[in-house]
């Protein structure tokens, strides 16, 4: 069943407030989860509201404290997130990056003691709204084998970059550095299907199409040794600058809700106006997108896409037709409505 | 035949000076080309000395002028490279990024009117020597089809990132965003061999193993749609901020030496000491490398590598045993020795 975005937003914000978040943090957190749902990234959306609330209720996500943002130089920030809710904290950090970048041209932040921050693209999308190029990286629990290794030592360490366009939607890259997310292995296992070659390794590091073998093995980085390097760099930027945990020490956020997390984020913004007028930049981006969109599709393709284009189409559809909530999510919503005394409206 | 690095360095620097470069620019340019040779990236090494010299002799690479570096904000630079030799100019820009980053924590530069700058990792390696994380991107002539397109519209747009380590060699990523370089297609064509699936498309955008079909088709980005996004982002960072040419307008630097180039670079440095003591950062990096190096190799692998590790081994071997110069390069060297009146010492 599909439900209007604003209905879900109002319900979810009330739940987050009753759970203990400030009205502002509740609204931002809900906005970030909804943005994921709208864009079709359901794994980062409202399906996890109950897990965020559970963490708040047992204290593994903190409320009533603010992240400590320290300007160590005009263009660098260090942040102790103090285990506060990731979506709201991520935005606070990005807003400060944007503010500083307006003065110095660019600003980057290294964050430790972070919780899962939801949709990584949410933060650089805010930078793009301000005429900036934004990016955000984070490290995550170990699921991915370094190229040539049999052991899952790296996270699926996502890369999120947004570059503003003019006539076109902004370029939004939001990707795991693994070929696929772990969820796709679990789904194949549940449905009794095989998985394509190139997704995962068994426990000896041999390629496998058996999801059960993959489940006790490891995911592989996208693009072999090249993606491995990027996955590792995301990890180093996220933990080695900030002092967050290494990937192998990060618990699974939604499954091990009783464990405190010390995830690292590395994010920043680059003020385009320090290089050229923003509309000139956007017209250059549009020119490239014209060239790409007007090119001949390859055999087997009907059109050529700009990164993030599919998600813009999905967002428009969801805004018009509502967001499709699963039975499981509705069940969670009903339970939360009782726990927190918020009217169930679905 | 192998020749000592210092013999080649002395010879090449003299050639570059006689061609018209300043002693400093000649030395830096030669150092960058030698670094490529030492690391086994012969395609970016001394094999192209004659092409750089030819460009200088006919004026498509400028001498006697300096790149114009403008600090548009404390942490941003715009640079008109004025078609000066890329290796020396790249280093001048990176040095200024490092200098500014010491004050503000980070600095990025957008460069236009650039020439081919050789080994992209050369510049961020200098940042790493100063306790910084360095990166450099550039756009290049169109050889790569966007994911889903049949047309070569994007460059092989390289990504170069260096992260300093402690007990280990620094992490050095220096990669094209295509699966392979065009040179591998040419080589297969010359040798009458087929190419592996996944390297290239024919002119209709269908995957091909025929190097002749690939030669009139396009290379593909590494990691499919994910690598495509990164290839495109490298392009946008390189040309849309700086006003350099789009990839489709860039001539082939070593083949079309009569054409001026307006390549874009985007480079920068992040001062680690603004986040934590540099030795603390390096020990964290080492800890991750320990975990990776001590992991079980996958089936078919004898060890697990850190990005850039192979190249460090090659460098050590070349420093000890000399650099292997091809007959073609030696022939070029002999011709240049006559043209520029420099003693031929090979």
């Amino acid at each position: 069943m599909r439900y209007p975005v604003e209905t879900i937003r109002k319900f979810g914000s009330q739940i987050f407030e009753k759970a203990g978040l400030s009205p502002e943090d509740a609204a931002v957190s809900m906005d970030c989860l909804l943005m994921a749902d709208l864009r079709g990234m359901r794994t980062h959306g409202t399906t996890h509201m109950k897990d965020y609330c559970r963490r708040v209720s047992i204290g593994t996500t903190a409320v009533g404290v603010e992240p400590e943002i320290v300007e160590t130089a005009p263009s660098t920030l260090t942040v102790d997130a103090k285990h506060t809710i990731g979506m709201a904290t991520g935005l606070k950090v990005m807003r400060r990056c944007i503010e500083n970048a307006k003065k110095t041209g660019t600003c980057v932040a290294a964050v430790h003691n972070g919780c899962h921050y939801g949709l990584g693209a949410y933060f650089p999308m805010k930078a793009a709204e301000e005429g900036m190029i934004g990016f955000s990286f984070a490290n995550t629990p170990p699921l991915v084998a370094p190229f040539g290794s049999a052991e899952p030592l790296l996270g699926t360490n996502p890369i999120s970059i947004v570059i503003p366009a003019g006539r076109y939607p902004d370029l939004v890259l939001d990707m795991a550095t693994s070929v696929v997310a772990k969820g796709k292995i679990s789904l194949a296992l549940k449905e009794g299907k095989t998985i394509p070659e190139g997704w995962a390794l068994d426990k000896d590091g041999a390629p496998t199409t058996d999801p059960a073998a993959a489940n006790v093995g490891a995911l592989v980085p996208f693009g072999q040794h090249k993606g491995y390097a990027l996955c590792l760099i995301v990890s180093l930027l996220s933990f080695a600058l900030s002092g967050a945990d290494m990937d192998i020490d990060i618990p699974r956020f939604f499954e091990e809700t009783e464990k405190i997390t010390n995830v690292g984020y590395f994010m920043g913004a680059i003020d385009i106006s320090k290089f050229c007028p923003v509309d000139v930049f956007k017209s250059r981006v549009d020119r490239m997108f014209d060239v790409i969109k007007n090119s001949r599709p390859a055999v087997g393709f009907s059109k050529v896409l700009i990164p993030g284009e599919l998600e813009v189409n999905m967002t428009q559809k969801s805004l018009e037709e509502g967001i499709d909530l699963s039975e499981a999510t509705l069940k969670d919503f009903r339970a939360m409505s009782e726990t927190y005394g918020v009217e169930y409206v679905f």
Side-chain angles (χ1 to χ4, degrees), chain A:
Chain A
M1 273 284 286
R2 289 182 173 271
Y3 297 90
V5 176
E6 293 314 313
T7 303
I8 309 172
R9 181 190 305 278
K10 190 176 164 199
F11 174 78
S13 300
Q14 285 177 313
I15 294 285
F16 271 146
E17 278 194 59
K18 294 278 185 165
L21 270 64
S22 72
E24 295 76 9
D25 288 0
V28 168
S29 298
M30 202 58 208
D31 193 51
C32 183
L33 296 183
L34 282 171
M35 183 78 84
D37 280 344
L38 285 169
R39 297 175 66 81
M41 292 192 61
R42 308 301 296 271
T43 50
H44 289 62
T46 51
T47 183
H48 285 304
M49 275 204 67
K50 78 164 194 308
D51 306 313
Y52 287 107
C53 287
R54 163 130 183 96
R55 280 189 165 270
V56 170
S57 74
I58 63 176
T60 50
T61 288
V63 292
V65 291
E66 284 293 314
E68 190 181 340
I69 303 179
V70 178
E71 185 183 295
T72 59
S75 297
T76 46
L77 310 172
T78 60
V79 183
D80 180 351
K82 295 186 177 173
H83 314 289
T84 48
I85 198 150
M87 296 80 82
T89 299
L91 186 58
K92 286 170 192 171
V93 176
M94 181 55 89
R95 289 231 178 278
R96 184 64 185 276
C97 285
I98 293 168
E99 192 185 307
N100 282 34
K102 280 183 183 165
K103 289 178 279 189
T104 67
T106 184
C107 182
V108 293
V111 182
H112 71 287
N113 283 333
C115 287
H116 192 294
Y117 69 14
L119 180 76
Y122 185 74
F123 316 108
M125 285 168 85
K126 300 298 177 185
E129 284 172 13
E130 307 267 348
M132 298 196 182
I133 294 167
F135 55 89
S136 190
F137 312 132
N139 68 340
T140 68
L143 293 170
V144 176
F147 184 72
S149 172
E151 297 183 44
L153 304 173
L154 295 168
T156 54
N157 302 344
I159 294 178
S160 309
I161 302 173
V162 181
I163 298 185
R167 287 177 282 110
Y168 288 91
D170 296 345
L171 181 156
V172 177
L173 174 64
D174 198 89
M175 68 175 199
T177 45
S178 51
V179 173
V180 293
K182 182 74 179 226
K184 293 213 178 176
I185 310 288
S186 315
L187 191 66
L189 194 59
K190 201 165 146 187
E191 296 180 347
K193 293 180 181 164
T194 60
I195 54 172
E197 252 185 79
W199 279 16
L201 307 175
D202 67 18
K203 66 180 169 34
D204 297 322
T208 184
T209 59
D210 172 7
N215 206 38
V216 295
L219 299 175
V220 299
F222 87 102
Q224 302 198 311
H225 60 290
K226 295 189 176 191
Y228 155 50
L230 293 173
C231 180
L232 176 56
I233 287 171
V234 169
S235 174
L236 295 174
L237 289 172
S238 299
F239 88 81
L241 282 172
S242 69
D245 278 342
M246 283 207 292
D247 311 13
I248 49 165
D249 296 323
I250 298 175
R252 300 184 66 186
F253 190 78
F254 300 123
E255 290 79 4
E256 303 175 278
T257 49
E258 75 288 359
K259 292 187 184 165
I260 290 270
T261 61
N262 178 8
V263 167
Y265 322 146
F266 181 75
M267 52 172 71
I270 299 165
D271 185 356
I272 293 164
S273 73
K274 301 299 190 292
F275 297 92
C276 62
V278 175
D279 58 343
V280 169
F281 176 87
K282 288 182 175 179
S283 71
R284 290 172 180 158
V285 173
D286 285 347
R287 210 148 46 85
M288 174 59 101
F289 290 1
D290 282 339
V291 168
I292 291 173
K293 294 298 292 179
N294 293 329
S295 72
R296 274 185 302 125
V299 169
F301 290 83
S302 61
K303 57 183 171 178
V304 191
L305 296 169
I306 303 300
E309 186 179 341
L310 275 183
E311 290 78 6
V312 169
N313 298 344
M314 274 191 271
T315 299
Q316 280 166 347
K317 183 180 157 78
S318 300
L319 285 173
E320 285 162 19
E321 301 178 8
I323 290 174
D324 193 15
L325 296 177
S326 69
E327 280 307 309
T329 298
L330 287 169
K331 198 177 148 202
D332 289 344
F333 280 11
R334 182 177 291 278
M336 287 190 285
S337 84
E338 282 162 21
T339 304
Y340 295 108
V342 171
E343 190 191 359
Y344 184 73
V345 289
F346 303 96

